Amino acid sequence: QVQLVESGGGLVQAGGSLRLSCAASGRTFSSYSMGWFRQAPGKERELVAAIDWGISRTYYTDSVKGRFTISRDNAKNTVYLQMNSLKPEDTAVYYCNFLNGWNSKNPYDYWGQGTQVTVSS
């Protein structure tokens, strides 16, 4: 059974940094692209960043380009999101997930508990 355990969130001032981690299990981690998503209050969940299974391609939504970096350690079945220069609009619950294909970047229909990121102005 798939398990996704996100951690590393917290309260930080604007301009600060956080590093999120996601321990994934239940699928062959190294065979799947992975994504970080976020959901702010009253908004739909959105894809923030993605990394392919071979660590050769990455994707970032425009609002985080140049500030966030996604990485993965296939030996540890873990994906990371380094977030720098945080802004109040980055406030959301952050989730990771396996992706059903690189072109679509669609998540599978299961989610972990997420980790709350709150950026104060």
Side-chain angles (χ1 to χ4, degrees):
Q1 112 203 28
V2 172
Q3 282 196 315
L4 301 162
V5 181
E6 301 92 347
S7 62
L11 173 63
V12 63
Q13 288 188 332
S17 298
L18 286 172
R19 189 191 193 210
L20 306 184
S21 298
C22 169
S25 61
R27 288 183 179 267
T28 305
F29 182 81
S30 59
S31 297
Y32 285 86
S33 297
M34 295 295 295
W36 279 99
F37 297 77
R38 67 185 178 188
Q39 187 167 23
K43 295 188 176 181
E44 292 190 354
R45 191 173 289 163
E46 65 168 341
L47 176 64
V48 174
I51 186 167
D52 75 356
W53 63 270
I55 321 181
S56 60
R57 295 175 291 183
T58 56
Y59 161 87
Y60 298 95
T61 194
D62 285 346
S63 62
V64 308
K65 283 180 180 176
R67 301 188 297 121
F68 290 12
T69 303
I70 189 171
S71 62
R72 65 190 293 166
D73 185 337
N74 287 342
K76 295 182 178 180
N77 289 1
T78 301
V79 61
Y80 305 98
L81 187 66
Q82 178 67 43
M83 306 187 296
N84 299 329
S85 303
L86 282 161
K87 303 176 180 180
E89 51 264 44
D90 294 319
T91 295
V93 180
Y94 284 71
Y95 304 87
C96 69
N97 209 331
F98 295 91
L99 298 182
N100 187 10
W102 179 253
N103 290 336
S104 68
K105 297 182 182 60
N106 288 327
Y108 284 90
D109 192 21
Y110 40 69
W111 298 94
Q113 83 288 348
T115 187
Q116 175 71 48
V117 172
T118 303
V119 184
S120 63
S121 56

Tab-separated table of all heavy atoms in Angstrom, residues 51-95:
chain	number	residue	atom	x	y	z
A	51	ILE	N	10.019	16.060	-10.665
A	51	ILE	CA	11.321	15.539	-11.065
A	51	ILE	C	11.103	14.153	-11.633
A	51	ILE	O	10.331	13.361	-11.092
A	51	ILE	CB	12.305	15.530	-9.869
A	51	ILE	CG1	13.707	15.120	-10.320
A	51	ILE	CG2	11.799	14.652	-8.735
A	51	ILE	CD1	14.771	15.401	-9.258
A	52	ASP	N	11.758	13.872	-12.753
A	52	ASP	CA	11.498	12.583	-13.372
A	52	ASP	C	12.288	11.483	-12.672
A	52	ASP	O	13.154	11.737	-11.834
A	52	ASP	CB	11.757	12.625	-14.872
A	52	ASP	CG	13.234	12.626	-15.240
A	52	ASP	OD1	14.095	12.672	-14.343
A	52	ASP	OD2	13.522	12.602	-16.445
A	53	TRP	N	11.974	10.241	-13.029
A	53	TRP	CA	12.541	9.097	-12.309
A	53	TRP	C	14.054	9.031	-12.469
A	53	TRP	O	14.763	8.579	-11.579
A	53	TRP	CB	11.890	7.804	-12.804
A	53	TRP	CG	12.166	7.522	-14.259
A	53	TRP	CD1	11.416	7.935	-15.324
A	53	TRP	CD2	13.259	6.800	-14.812
A	53	TRP	NE1	11.984	7.506	-16.506
A	53	TRP	CE2	13.122	6.814	-16.221
A	53	TRP	CE3	14.359	6.130	-14.257
A	53	TRP	CZ2	14.030	6.189	-17.071
A	53	TRP	CZ3	15.267	5.514	-15.115
A	53	TRP	CH2	15.088	5.552	-16.508
A	54	GLY	N	14.562	9.501	-13.630
A	54	GLY	CA	15.997	9.424	-13.894
A	54	GLY	C	16.766	10.642	-13.438
A	54	GLY	O	17.967	10.744	-13.676
A	55	ILE	N	16.062	11.581	-12.801
A	55	ILE	CA	16.659	12.820	-12.289
A	55	ILE	C	17.287	13.629	-13.423
A	55	ILE	O	18.259	14.375	-13.228
A	55	ILE	CB	17.706	12.542	-11.171
A	55	ILE	CG1	17.256	11.424	-10.247
A	55	ILE	CG2	17.919	13.816	-10.343
A	55	ILE	CD1	18.216	11.114	-9.121
A	56	SER	N	16.737	13.492	-14.617
A	56	SER	CA	17.291	14.253	-15.730
A	56	SER	C	16.426	15.447	-16.109
A	56	SER	O	16.879	16.345	-16.809
A	56	SER	CB	17.443	13.339	-16.954
A	56	SER	OG	16.188	12.811	-17.328
A	57	ARG	N	15.185	15.470	-15.656
A	57	ARG	CA	14.284	16.567	-15.980
A	57	ARG	C	13.587	17.060	-14.732
A	57	ARG	O	13.215	16.281	-13.864
A	57	ARG	CB	13.227	16.117	-17.002
A	57	ARG	CG	13.775	15.735	-18.362
A	57	ARG	CD	12.696	15.186	-19.266
A	57	ARG	NE	12.215	13.889	-18.816
A	57	ARG	CZ	11.305	13.171	-19.466
A	57	ARG	NH1	10.774	13.646	-20.583
A	57	ARG	NH2	10.925	11.997	-19.005
A	58	THR	N	13.407	18.370	-14.678
A	58	THR	CA	12.626	18.979	-13.609
A	58	THR	C	11.625	19.959	-14.199
A	58	THR	O	11.786	20.440	-15.334
A	58	THR	CB	13.509	19.713	-12.582
A	58	THR	OG1	14.296	20.687	-13.276
A	58	THR	CG2	14.414	18.759	-11.825
A	59	TYR	N	10.594	20.205	-13.430
A	59	TYR	CA	9.553	21.157	-13.831
A	59	TYR	C	9.224	22.020	-12.623
A	59	TYR	O	9.199	21.533	-11.483
A	59	TYR	CB	8.295	20.415	-14.277
A	59	TYR	CG	7.058	21.279	-14.273
A	59	TYR	CD1	6.719	22.043	-15.383
A	59	TYR	CD2	6.254	21.358	-13.139
A	59	TYR	CE1	5.602	22.853	-15.366
A	59	TYR	CE2	5.129	22.177	-13.113
A	59	TYR	CZ	4.816	22.911	-14.232
A	59	TYR	OH	3.713	23.726	-14.221
A	60	TYR	N	8.971	23.297	-12.879
A	60	TYR	CA	8.545	24.219	-11.819
A	60	TYR	C	7.427	25.095	-12.357
A	60	TYR	O	7.486	25.569	-13.500
A	60	TYR	CB	9.695	25.119	-11.372
A	60	TYR	CG	10.865	24.357	-10.784
A	60	TYR	CD1	11.954	24.009	-11.573
A	60	TYR	CD2	10.874	23.988	-9.434
A	60	TYR	CE1	13.017	23.292	-11.050
A	60	TYR	CE2	11.929	23.273	-8.903
A	60	TYR	CZ	12.994	22.937	-9.710
A	60	TYR	OH	14.045	22.221	-9.185
A	61	THR	N	6.435	25.320	-11.540
A	61	THR	CA	5.429	26.300	-11.911
A	61	THR	C	6.073	27.689	-11.897
A	61	THR	O	7.046	27.921	-11.173
A	61	THR	CB	4.223	26.234	-10.962
A	61	THR	OG1	3.138	26.957	-11.523
A	61	THR	CG2	4.555	26.765	-9.588
A	62	ASP	N	5.557	28.570	-12.702
A	62	ASP	CA	6.222	29.862	-12.902
A	62	ASP	C	6.462	30.626	-11.601
A	62	ASP	O	7.497	31.278	-11.431
A	62	ASP	CB	5.399	30.729	-13.864
A	62	ASP	CG	5.515	30.282	-15.302
A	62	ASP	OD1	6.425	29.486	-15.611
A	62	ASP	OD2	4.683	30.724	-16.131
A	63	SER	N	5.526	30.531	-10.677
A	63	SER	CA	5.617	31.348	-9.471
A	63	SER	C	6.756	30.946	-8.537
A	63	SER	O	7.103	31.715	-7.631
A	63	SER	CB	4.296	31.316	-8.711
A	63	SER	OG	3.992	30.000	-8.293
A	64	VAL	N	7.344	29.773	-8.731
A	64	VAL	CA	8.415	29.337	-7.835
A	64	VAL	C	9.757	29.190	-8.550
A	64	VAL	O	10.758	28.874	-7.906
A	64	VAL	CB	8.061	28.011	-7.132
A	64	VAL	CG1	6.695	28.108	-6.451
A	64	VAL	CG2	8.115	26.829	-8.087
A	65	LYS	N	9.783	29.415	-9.841
A	65	LYS	CA	11.041	29.267	-10.589
A	65	LYS	C	12.110	30.198	-10.021
A	65	LYS	O	11.860	31.372	-9.748
A	65	LYS	CB	10.810	29.586	-12.070
A	65	LYS	CG	10.123	28.480	-12.836
A	65	LYS	CD	9.930	28.849	-14.300
A	65	LYS	CE	9.228	27.729	-15.051
A	65	LYS	NZ	8.944	28.094	-16.457
A	66	GLY	N	13.299	29.635	-9.836
A	66	GLY	CA	14.407	30.409	-9.300
A	66	GLY	C	14.433	30.460	-7.785
A	66	GLY	O	15.416	30.935	-7.202
A	67	ARG	N	13.378	29.988	-7.132
A	67	ARG	CA	13.324	30.016	-5.664
A	67	ARG	C	13.263	28.607	-5.073
A	67	ARG	O	13.805	28.373	-3.984
A	67	ARG	CB	12.100	30.800	-5.197
A	67	ARG	CG	12.072	32.235	-5.673
A	67	ARG	CD	10.930	33.026	-5.005
A	67	ARG	NE	9.616	32.506	-5.338
A	67	ARG	CZ	8.745	32.057	-4.436
A	67	ARG	NH1	9.047	32.073	-3.147
A	67	ARG	NH2	7.547	31.608	-4.813
A	68	PHE	N	12.587	27.685	-5.732
A	68	PHE	CA	12.433	26.323	-5.234
A	68	PHE	C	13.295	25.363	-6.051
A	68	PHE	O	13.490	25.564	-7.256
A	68	PHE	CB	10.972	25.872	-5.357
A	68	PHE	CG	10.016	26.546	-4.414
A	68	PHE	CD1	10.370	27.678	-3.678
A	68	PHE	CD2	8.730	26.046	-4.266
A	68	PHE	CE1	9.472	28.291	-2.825
A	68	PHE	CE2	7.823	26.644	-3.416
A	68	PHE	CZ	8.197	27.770	-2.700
A	69	THR	N	13.786	24.322	-5.394
A	69	THR	CA	14.556	23.282	-6.059
A	69	THR	C	14.065	21.922	-5.595
A	69	THR	O	14.048	21.651	-4.388
A	69	THR	CB	16.050	23.410	-5.768
A	69	THR	OG1	16.514	24.704	-6.155
A	69	THR	CG2	16.837	22.339	-6.526
A	70	ILE	N	13.677	21.090	-6.549
A	70	ILE	CA	13.256	19.732	-6.233
A	70	ILE	C	14.425	18.783	-6.466
A	70	ILE	O	15.197	18.964	-7.409
A	70	ILE	CB	12.023	19.314	-7.075
A	70	ILE	CG1	11.456	17.977	-6.591
A	70	ILE	CG2	12.349	19.291	-8.562
A	70	ILE	CD1	10.119	17.623	-7.223
A	71	SER	N	14.551	17.796	-5.597
A	71	SER	CA	15.591	16.782	-5.750
A	71	SER	C	15.068	15.469	-5.187
A	71	SER	O	14.018	15.441	-4.546
A	71	SER	CB	16.879	17.208	-5.045
A	71	SER	OG	16.661	17.363	-3.655
A	72	ARG	N	15.810	14.407	-5.436
A	72	ARG	CA	15.381	13.113	-4.935
A	72	ARG	C	16.587	12.247	-4.642
A	72	ARG	O	17.647	12.404	-5.257
A	72	ARG	CB	14.449	12.416	-5.932
A	72	ARG	CG	15.102	12.031	-7.253
A	72	ARG	CD	14.060	11.578	-8.273
A	72	ARG	NE	13.421	10.323	-7.873
A	72	ARG	CZ	12.312	9.857	-8.431
A	72	ARG	NH1	11.704	10.539	-9.391
A	72	ARG	NH2	11.806	8.699	-8.026
A	73	ASP	N	16.395	11.333	-3.714
A	73	ASP	CA	17.410	10.338	-3.386
A	73	ASP	C	16.744	8.979	-3.548
A	73	ASP	O	15.972	8.553	-2.685
A	73	ASP	CB	17.906	10.547	-1.951
A	73	ASP	CG	19.052	9.619	-1.588
A	73	ASP	OD1	19.192	8.555	-2.222
A	73	ASP	OD2	19.805	9.958	-0.670
A	74	ASN	N	17.015	8.330	-4.665
A	74	ASN	CA	16.340	7.056	-4.944
A	74	ASN	C	16.753	5.960	-3.966
A	74	ASN	O	16.004	5.007	-3.746
A	74	ASN	CB	16.607	6.626	-6.385
A	74	ASN	CG	15.833	7.459	-7.393
A	74	ASN	OD1	14.855	8.127	-7.036
A	74	ASN	ND2	16.251	7.441	-8.638
A	75	ALA	N	17.935	6.080	-3.388
A	75	ALA	CA	18.379	5.088	-2.400
A	75	ALA	C	17.580	5.194	-1.104
A	75	ALA	O	17.451	4.219	-0.369
A	75	ALA	CB	19.859	5.256	-2.116
A	76	LYS	N	17.061	6.386	-0.840
A	76	LYS	CA	16.299	6.614	0.396
A	76	LYS	C	14.803	6.722	0.146
A	76	LYS	O	14.037	6.980	1.080
A	76	LYS	CB	16.791	7.886	1.084
A	76	LYS	CG	18.222	7.819	1.572
A	76	LYS	CD	18.623	9.089	2.297
A	76	LYS	CE	20.038	8.985	2.818
A	76	LYS	NZ	20.457	10.224	3.534
A	77	ASN	N	14.382	6.544	-1.108
A	77	ASN	CA	12.961	6.670	-1.450
A	77	ASN	C	12.384	7.994	-0.951
A	77	ASN	O	11.268	8.036	-0.405
A	77	ASN	CB	12.147	5.504	-0.873
A	77	ASN	CG	12.418	4.191	-1.577
A	77	ASN	OD1	13.238	4.120	-2.495
A	77	ASN	ND2	11.746	3.141	-1.149
A	78	THR	N	13.134	9.041	-1.144
A	78	THR	CA	12.757	10.345	-0.599
A	78	THR	C	12.891	11.429	-1.667
A	78	THR	O	13.848	11.425	-2.436
A	78	THR	CB	13.627	10.698	0.620
A	78	THR	OG1	13.464	9.687	1.617
A	78	THR	CG2	13.222	12.044	1.207
A	79	VAL	N	11.928	12.329	-1.689
A	79	VAL	CA	11.989	13.501	-2.557
A	79	VAL	C	11.984	14.743	-1.671
A	79	VAL	O	11.344	14.759	-0.607
A	79	VAL	CB	10.822	13.504	-3.569
A	79	VAL	CG1	9.472	13.538	-2.872
A	79	VAL	CG2	10.963	14.634	-4.571
A	80	TYR	N	12.722	15.747	-2.102
A	80	TYR	CA	12.901	16.964	-1.314
A	80	TYR	C	12.413	18.182	-2.096
A	80	TYR	O	12.380	18.183	-3.321
A	80	TYR	CB	14.384	17.157	-0.974
A	80	TYR	CG	15.011	15.985	-0.276
A	80	TYR	CD1	15.747	15.049	-0.999
A	80	TYR	CD2	14.893	15.818	1.100
A	80	TYR	CE1	16.335	13.967	-0.375
A	80	TYR	CE2	15.485	14.731	1.733
A	80	TYR	CZ	16.206	13.820	1.000
A	80	TYR	OH	16.786	12.742	1.624
A	81	LEU	N	12.090	19.232	-1.344
A	81	LEU	CA	11.788	20.517	-1.956
A	81	LEU	C	12.474	21.587	-1.129
A	81	LEU	O	12.070	21.857	0.010
A	81	LEU	CB	10.277	20.775	-2.015
A	81	LEU	CG	9.874	22.023	-2.795
A	81	LEU	CD1	10.212	21.871	-4.278
A	81	LEU	CD2	8.388	22.338	-2.619
A	82	GLN	N	13.524	22.165	-1.674
A	82	GLN	CA	14.210	23.282	-1.035
A	82	GLN	C	13.506	24.558	-1.455
A	82	GLN	O	13.406	24.850	-2.655
A	82	GLN	CB	15.684	23.319	-1.457
A	82	GLN	CG	16.451	24.487	-0.880
A	82	GLN	CD	16.618	24.417	0.619
A	82	GLN	OE1	16.911	23.349	1.165
A	82	GLN	NE2	16.419	25.535	1.305
A	83	MET	N	13.034	25.305	-0.486
A	83	MET	CA	12.276	26.520	-0.762
A	83	MET	C	13.018	27.711	-0.187
A	83	MET	O	13.198	27.804	1.036
A	83	MET	CB	10.868	26.411	-0.158
A	83	MET	CG	10.109	25.174	-0.599
A	83	MET	SD	8.397	25.166	-0.051
A	83	MET	CE	8.638	25.103	1.719
A	84	ASN	N	13.464	28.591	-1.042
A	84	ASN	CA	14.172	29.800	-0.641
A	84	ASN	C	13.353	31.037	-0.995
A	84	ASN	O	12.418	30.965	-1.798
A	84	ASN	CB	15.540	29.858	-1.333
A	84	ASN	CG	16.439	28.704	-0.979
A	84	ASN	OD1	16.377	28.152	0.127
A	84	ASN	ND2	17.298	28.317	-1.906
A	85	SER	N	13.726	32.153	-0.418
A	85	SER	CA	13.051	33.433	-0.698
A	85	SER	C	11.531	33.278	-0.602
A	85	SER	O	10.789	33.718	-1.486
A	85	SER	CB	13.445	33.947	-2.088
A	85	SER	OG	14.843	34.096	-2.193
A	86	LEU	N	11.097	32.678	0.469
A	86	LEU	CA	9.669	32.396	0.617
A	86	LEU	C	8.854	33.674	0.699
A	86	LEU	O	9.309	34.691	1.242
A	86	LEU	CB	9.439	31.526	1.843
A	86	LEU	CG	9.781	30.041	1.629
A	86	LEU	CD1	9.982	29.322	2.958
A	86	LEU	CD2	8.693	29.362	0.817
A	87	LYS	N	7.650	33.590	0.151
A	87	LYS	CA	6.721	34.711	0.117
A	87	LYS	C	5.422	34.312	0.831
A	87	LYS	O	5.098	33.118	0.891
A	87	LYS	CB	6.398	35.074	-1.328
A	87	LYS	CG	7.602	35.409	-2.187
A	87	LYS	CD	7.189	35.667	-3.629
A	87	LYS	CE	8.394	35.992	-4.490
A	87	LYS	NZ	7.999	36.247	-5.911
A	88	PRO	N	4.685	35.273	1.327
A	88	PRO	CA	3.401	34.934	1.979
A	88	PRO	C	2.482	34.108	1.075
A	88	PRO	O	1.748	33.243	1.570
A	88	PRO	CB	2.805	36.312	2.294
A	88	PRO	CG	4.000	37.183	2.502
A	88	PRO	CD	5.008	36.697	1.488
A	89	GLU	N	2.536	34.335	-0.213
A	89	GLU	CA	1.674	33.574	-1.141
A	89	GLU	C	2.096	32.116	-1.297
A	89	GLU	O	1.401	31.333	-1.942
A	89	GLU	CB	1.601	34.257	-2.509
A	89	GLU	CG	2.938	34.606	-3.105
A	89	GLU	CD	3.340	36.048	-2.839
A	89	GLU	OE1	3.173	36.538	-1.691
A	89	GLU	OE2	3.850	36.703	-3.789
A	90	ASP	N	3.228	31.747	-0.700
A	90	ASP	CA	3.635	30.336	-0.690
A	90	ASP	C	2.953	29.566	0.441
A	90	ASP	O	3.098	28.339	0.531
A	90	ASP	CB	5.149	30.210	-0.529
A	90	ASP	CG	5.915	30.764	-1.711
A	90	ASP	OD1	5.494	30.541	-2.861
A	90	ASP	OD2	6.947	31.441	-1.480
A	91	THR	N	2.241	30.264	1.292
A	91	THR	CA	1.548	29.619	2.404
A	91	THR	C	0.527	28.612	1.895
A	91	THR	O	-0.343	28.952	1.095
A	91	THR	CB	0.850	30.671	3.284
A	91	THR	OG1	1.851	31.499	3.892
A	91	THR	CG2	0.010	30.008	4.374
A	92	ALA	N	0.655	27.370	2.336
A	92	ALA	CA	-0.213	26.287	1.869
A	92	ALA	C	0.174	25.006	2.607
A	92	ALA	O	1.188	24.960	3.293
A	92	ALA	CB	-0.056	26.078	0.363
A	93	VAL	N	-0.647	23.986	2.413
A	93	VAL	CA	-0.256	22.637	2.801
A	93	VAL	C	0.431	22.013	1.580
A	93	VAL	O	-0.114	22.045	0.474
A	93	VAL	CB	-1.461	21.790	3.235
A	93	VAL	CG1	-1.003	20.387	3.620
A	93	VAL	CG2	-2.176	22.454	4.407
A	94	TYR	N	1.601	21.465	1.808
A	94	TYR	CA	2.391	20.881	0.728
A	94	TYR	C	2.314	19.355	0.790
A	94	TYR	O	2.445	18.759	1.870
A	94	TYR	CB	3.837	21.354	0.819
A	94	TYR	CG	4.027	22.770	0.350
A	94	TYR	CD1	3.551	23.846	1.100
A	94	TYR	CD2	4.661	23.050	-0.857
A	94	TYR	CE1	3.697	25.162	0.658
A	94	TYR	CE2	4.817	24.356	-1.307
A	94	TYR	CZ	4.335	25.399	-0.543
A	94	TYR	OH	4.486	26.700	-0.989
A	95	TYR	N	2.124	18.759	-0.371
A	95	TYR	CA	2.009	17.316	-0.511
A	95	TYR	C	2.955	16.809	-1.589
A	95	TYR	O	3.241	17.510	-2.550
A	95	TYR	CB	0.593	16.927	-0.951
A	95	TYR	CG	-0.533	17.398	-0.077
A	95	TYR	CD1	-1.096	18.662	-0.262
A	95	TYR	CD2	-1.057	16.574	0.915
A	95	TYR	CE1	-2.146	19.094	0.526
A	95	TYR	CE2	-2.117	17.006	1.703
A	95	TYR	CZ	-2.651	18.255	1.504
A	95	TYR	OH	-3.697	18.674	2.295
